[in-house]
Amino acid sequence: MRLMQIKTENGARAVVATVPNGAGERSYIVPGYATVYALAQAAIAAKSGIESIVEAASVGVTEEVDRAALLASGHVLTPIDHEDPAHLLITGTGLTHLGSASARDAMHKTPDEEEVLTDSMKMFRMGLENGKPAVGQHGVQPEWFYKGDGALLVGPGQPLTAPSFAQDGGEEPEVAGIYIVGDNGQPYRIGFAMANEFSDHIMERVNYLYLAHSKLRPCSLGPELLVGALPDDVRGRSRILRDDKVIFDEPFLSGEANMSHTLANLEYHHFKYDFFRRPGQVHVHTYGTATLSVAFGIKTEAGDVFDIQSDTFGLPLTNPLAFAPEEKVSVTQL
């Protein structure tokens, strides 16, 4: 099952469910629920899965909707949000995918350091050696970063806007885990979605200690949220279009078969912090990637369009690149 949040013609909100139907699929509006957050809360209260809640609410529903038409008309929202954006946190991990270390390693290595392991490569090797512990055990902690709160979450078709001082606006095609924290502090995984974990790789290249700065950018998500287990082998394509011409087109891989960490290990090392287990919180946690256009020498420009596609997640995630006007910022003494 996949879920999508939409804005209807009259300005209301609704959830669209897509389920198998014979050899194909059918998509319909789920009665009684305006948000995926409400569905998740109902599932927690009922001690049930989201699929069961959707199925019970949808008995007798026959009318179908056209997801592609909704997307084209701009009616599709992010597949998760929170009425108070401060209670939605966007975070992520890096150096988690097989092959992900090569581009990062090259960013931080000078010609006279060819035989010296960078911190990035050391971290990557730690994951290879102890990122997939036995069930019930904890492996090595991954690289972790904070990206922002719900105010920085961007929906399908909306621009990914870099600040005026940005040196780059670069895409990162990733899978994100979507989580909600119950009233008792228990984190629950709602599902998974495609994400473009938008970053400034040129800034990061100056010094790896600039990684934190490079991540304070918007993050796009969606259009659809996959409920249930993530396939071990997720495959897709990451493209960049300029003036309707493709200037970058490469495959990306995700899922545990292509990772140096288990999802359980990544989840443990995020939620082990009790302030990430506050009731009602929503977490969008990106799992990393091994495909970056900057590693292929691409320099993005305003107006470029990022296009990330994977059959696992249904509709593509497309966002144009924009740059914000310069702002003068100063602090006033009280």
Side-chain angles (χ1 to χ4, degrees), residues 131-163:
K132 292 187 172 181
V135 176
Q137 297 183 13
H138 306 311
V140 66
Q141 63 185 6
E143 176 190 42
W144 183 95
F145 58 85
Y146 172 73
K147 191 161 183 67
D149 66 17
L152 292 179
L153 204 57
V154 173
Q158 299 302 305
L160 283 165
T161 303

Side-chain angles (χ1 to χ4, degrees), residues 219-231:
C219 177
S220 63
L221 192 68
E224 302 185 73
L225 186 154
L226 176 68
V227 178
L230 184 72

Side-chain angles (χ1 to χ4, degrees), residues 103 106-109 200-208 210 214 294-295 297:
M107 277 196 243
H108 301 146
K109 182 177 286 186
D200 189 332
H201 302 109
I202 304 303
M203 178 184 289
E204 181 193 345
R205 183 179 288 165
V206 174
N207 188 299
Y208 72 93
Y210 279 169
S214 75
V294 69

Side-chain angles (χ1 to χ4, degrees), residues 25-39:
E25 296 178 326
R26 63 181 290 257
S27 301
Y28 58 88
I29 291 177
V30 180
Y33 293 93
T35 66
V36 170
Y37 185 90
L39 272 172

Side-chain angles (χ1 to χ4, degrees), residues 44-307:
I44 293 172
K47 297 182 179 179
S48 174
I50 288 180
E51 289 193 45
S52 298
I53 299 295
V54 171
E55 290 168 358
S58 306
V59 173
V61 173
T62 58
E63 184 176 354
E64 298 187 24
V65 297
D66 186 332
R67 292 159 31 253
L70 287 168
L71 182 63
S73 63
H75 284 80
V76 178
L77 308 171
T78 58
I80 189 67
D81 54 7
H82 195 291
E83 62 181 4
D84 181 354
H87 291 291
L88 186 154
L89 299 181
I90 310 169
T91 55
T93 55
L95 300 170
T96 54
H97 283 62
L98 303 177
S100 63
S102 56
R104 179 81 71 82
D105 192 49
M107 277 196 243
H108 301 146
K109 182 177 286 186
T110 59
D112 59 350
E113 293 179 326
E114 291 303 319
E115 301 304 319
V116 178
L117 288 181
T118 64
D119 286 343
S120 293
M121 187 58 75
K122 291 176 183 176
M123 178 71 75
F124 178 68
R125 290 192 175 183
M126 288 165 62
L128 287 177
E129 293 167 1
N130 194 21
K132 292 187 172 181
V135 176
Q137 297 183 13
H138 306 311
V140 66
Q141 63 185 6
E143 176 190 42
W144 183 95
F145 58 85
Y146 172 73
K147 191 161 183 67
D149 66 17
L152 292 179
L153 204 57
V154 173
Q158 299 302 305
L160 283 165
T161 303
S164 61
F165 53 80
Q167 297 173 272
D168 177 42
E171 85 299 336
E172 294 204 15
E174 306 193 19
V175 174
I178 313 300
Y179 306 88
I180 186 173
V181 181
D183 290 341
N184 62 351
Q186 170 66 42
Y188 296 89
R189 188 194 312 119
I190 300 174
F192 305 91
M194 278 195 304
N196 188 339
E197 197 273 288
F198 187 56
S199 302
D200 189 332
H201 302 109
I202 304 303
M203 178 184 289
E204 181 193 345
R205 183 179 288 165
V206 174
N207 188 299
Y208 72 93
L209 294 177
Y210 279 169
L211 174 71
H213 282 280
S214 75
K215 295 298 186 182
L216 296 175
R217 302 289 187 273
C219 177
S220 63
L221 192 68
E224 302 185 73
L225 186 154
L226 176 68
V227 178
L230 184 72
D232 283 342
D233 186 16
V234 175
R235 294 174 180 260
R237 299 202 73 83
S238 178
R239 304 192 307 160
I240 300 176
L241 290 81
R242 180 174 296 164
D243 298 325
D244 296 325
K245 295 180 181 178
V246 176
I247 64 168
F248 176 75
D249 186 351
E250 289 291 328
F252 74 88
L253 306 175
S254 194
E256 287 191 359
N258 303 297
M259 297 174 68
S260 53
H261 288 259
T262 62
L263 297 185
N265 194 52
L266 300 182
E267 291 171 339
Y268 166 73
H269 286 295
H270 179 70
F271 288 108
K272 68 184 180 183
Y273 296 101
D274 58 4
F275 48 88
F276 289 159
R277 302 195 305 271
R278 289 178 285 183
Q281 275 184 332
V282 170
H283 292 257
V284 174
H285 191 62
T286 60
Y287 297 139
T289 187
T291 303
L292 304 172
S293 66
V294 69
F296 291 81
I298 299 295
K299 174 62 176 175
T300 57
E301 300 176 359
D304 288 352
V305 176
F306 302 116
D307 181 86

